[in-house]
Amino acid sequence: MVLDAGHGGKDPGNSYHGFVEKEIALKTTLKVGNLLEKQKDFEVVYTRQTDVFIELVNRPKVANKINADLFVSIHCNSVTNQTPAGTETFVMGLSRSNMNLEVAKKENSVILLEDNYKKTYEGFDPHKPESLAGLKIVQEENLNSSITLASIIQDNFTQNLNRKTRGVKQQPLWVLDAAYMPGVLIELGFLSNKEEGEYLNSDEGQDQMAEQIAKAIIAYKKGYFSENGTEDEEKPIIKSPKIVKEETKEVAKAVVENKQPETVAVPLSENGKYKIQLFASSKKREATSPDFKGLKEITFTFDNNLYKYFYGSVSDLNEAKKLCQEAKKSGFSDAFIVMVTDGKTSAIK
């Protein structure tokens, strides 16, 4: 796997109250790597281990060159308002809320510090929303794996450290888009918030955050790479969260007390059906949840501590495309079509 400490060298990243992102990101990243290197069957490669400037285009290239299984980039957040605090983990996606766009602009703006950036990025302008919209979404299989890891990371921060969570978010970030494997970008917290900045700048804070990231990566590895469903040997310094073994599960309708017709259980194992994946989350939601924005016929699967929520079930691809457009109009901009095959879902390009 590749660990990427954000920024570096002539690019300090965010800087508030004397706290410098490039320094905190590097120290925390090296601590994560040190923990993982003590585990069985981990090969850790770094994009940087010192205070040097690495062009953004070369960061994912490191991972692609060695055919890495995972790419993890570590950063710190900031905003002009010094009140916001909390961790958030990004995966590649096309949702574009205003606040998320600001994060994307900041993390992508390092492009402008590079030589020949216009040629390298073919006119990509990190300050223009239309350029962000032009980034292609990663393959859905990688996206789902990324969401799984991001969810474990955020849960660890919240449950084990009692850190405020801002959740898992999808955002067009070049460093994730250019990587050919699952990847996440972790924002450890806000340096603009003095209390949180002091925590992240401390050895104790970095040790604690690094351990939770390492725990999540170890848990992710067990869920996706263990042979025959058995757990790998693990050193005692880290106790991984329990991961549900991968197995074929039948989709279950979320419980609705009035038991209206649309809540009748529909088996996901029914081959040839098309569904619309809306989002994935570590939390279970009822079919009547406002998070579904009025859409009916909601189904879900649960694997590796992650719920995947689907809308509709049709046999015709053209009908599925109509459902997908309906979902997007309802606010699910990252919705996509999946097909049920042998009890598993696969994305339809």
Side-chain angles (χ1 to χ4, degrees):
M1 65 163 298
V2 170
L3 290 177
D4 173 48
H7 308 279
K10 63 182 178 180
D11 173 28
N14 296 310
S15 183
Y16 270 86
H17 310 297
F19 312 133
V20 183
E21 179 180 6
K22 69 174 183 177
E23 297 174 0
I24 296 173
L26 179 59
K27 291 177 181 178
T28 306
T29 298
L30 294 177
K31 290 175 185 289
V32 173
N34 181 57
L35 292 172
L36 293 177
E37 287 167 348
K38 295 176 181 178
Q39 301 298 310
K40 179 183 177 182
D41 296 333
F42 268 95
E43 180 183 354
V44 181
V45 176
Y46 303 87
T47 57
R48 72 181 182 99
Q49 292 179 275
T50 59
D51 184 20
V52 294
F53 177 73
I54 307 294
E55 291 190 350
L56 197 63
V57 69
N58 289 330
R59 294 174 184 265
K61 278 185 178 180
V62 172
N64 294 338
K65 185 176 181 180
I66 66 172
N67 194 29
D69 296 303
L70 189 64
F71 181 86
V72 175
S73 189
I74 297 178
H75 293 252
C76 299
N77 224 331
S78 76
V79 288
T80 53
N81 179 356
Q82 297 181 20
T83 301
T87 66
E88 52 193 354
T89 301
F90 289 85
V91 298
M92 186 58 198
L94 296 179
S95 60
R96 297 187 295 279
S97 70
N98 290 334
M99 190 160 188
N100 283 5
L101 266 181
E102 292 306 310
V103 173
K105 289 176 184 177
K106 287 181 181 179
E107 300 303 351
N108 287 323
S109 64
V110 62
I111 289 172
L112 302 179
L113 297 177
E114 300 179 17
D115 297 329
N116 301 319
Y117 76 87
K118 290 184 179 180
K119 180 178 179 181
T120 302
Y121 298 94
E122 299 179 350
F124 177 86
D125 185 341
H127 294 304
K128 291 184 178 179
E130 56 266 32
S131 290
L132 299 178
L135 290 174
K136 66 179 181 63
I137 194 168
V138 294
Q139 293 180 346
E140 281 79 3
E141 292 83 357
N142 282 348
L143 177 59
N144 286 334
S145 297
S146 301
I147 292 172
T148 297
L149 174 60
S151 298
I152 300 172
I153 291 171
Q154 287 301 124
D155 286 347
N156 282 2
F157 288 156
T158 303
Q159 297 172 9
N160 300 335
L161 297 180
N162 199 31
R163 306 302 300 175
K164 178 181 178 181
T165 180
R166 299 171 64 87
V168 175
K169 300 179 179 180
Q170 292 179 271
Q171 190 57 53
L173 300 169
W174 184 283
V175 73
L176 296 181
D177 178 66
Y180 301 153
M181 70 290 302
V184 298
L185 186 147
I186 304 167
E187 296 283 1
L188 298 172
F190 286 78
L191 301 185
S192 47
N193 182 298
K194 191 171 183 179
E195 181 179 354
E196 190 158 77
E198 288 177 348
Y199 172 76
L200 296 175
N201 197 51
S202 69
D203 285 336
E204 180 183 10
Q206 292 164 14
D207 287 342
Q208 291 178 352
M209 298 295 280
E211 182 176 352
Q212 297 313 314
I213 295 170
K215 279 186 176 183
I217 293 171
I218 292 169
Y220 171 87
K221 177 178 179 291
K222 286 184 177 180
Y224 280 85
F225 293 97
S226 295
E227 295 182 2
N228 300 321
T230 60
E231 293 189 351
D232 296 328
E233 178 185 354
E234 182 185 346
K235 303 296 183 183
I237 59 167
I238 295 178
K239 182 178 180 181
S240 299
K242 182 179 179 182
I243 296 297
V244 177
K245 291 182 180 179
E246 290 190 18
E247 57 185 36
T248 301
K249 287 187 172 59
E250 192 174 88
V251 71
K253 283 287 183 175
V255 177
V256 180
E257 293 184 358
N258 60 9
K259 296 183 179 180
Q260 295 184 15
E262 67 268 23
T263 64
V264 176
V266 177
L268 189 60
S269 56
E270 186 177 355
N271 288 343
K273 290 287 187 179
Y274 297 101
K275 294 177 178 291
I276 312 304
Q277 183 163 327
L278 302 176
F279 61 91
S281 171
S282 60
K283 296 181 179 180
K284 184 178 180 180
R285 292 169 171 81
E286 303 297 337
T288 53
S289 169
D291 292 339
F292 297 120
K293 303 177 182 180
L295 295 179
K296 306 296 183 182
E297 294 187 71
I298 301 300
T299 56
F300 69 87
T301 57
F302 180 73
D303 284 292
N304 292 323
N305 286 350
L306 188 71
Y307 292 93
K308 294 178 183 178
Y309 293 96
F310 305 92
Y311 165 55
S313 179
V314 295
S315 301
D316 182 74
L317 180 58
N318 288 326
E319 289 299 317
K321 290 178 179 178
K322 292 179 182 178
L323 289 179
C324 191
Q325 288 301 315
E326 182 181 343
K328 290 183 177 181
K329 288 180 181 179
S330 296
F332 296 99
S333 59
D334 295 305
F336 57 90
I337 303 172
V338 299
M339 185 177 185
V340 182
T341 305
D342 296 329
K344 297 181 180 179
T345 58
S346 57
I348 301 298
K349 307 299 181 184

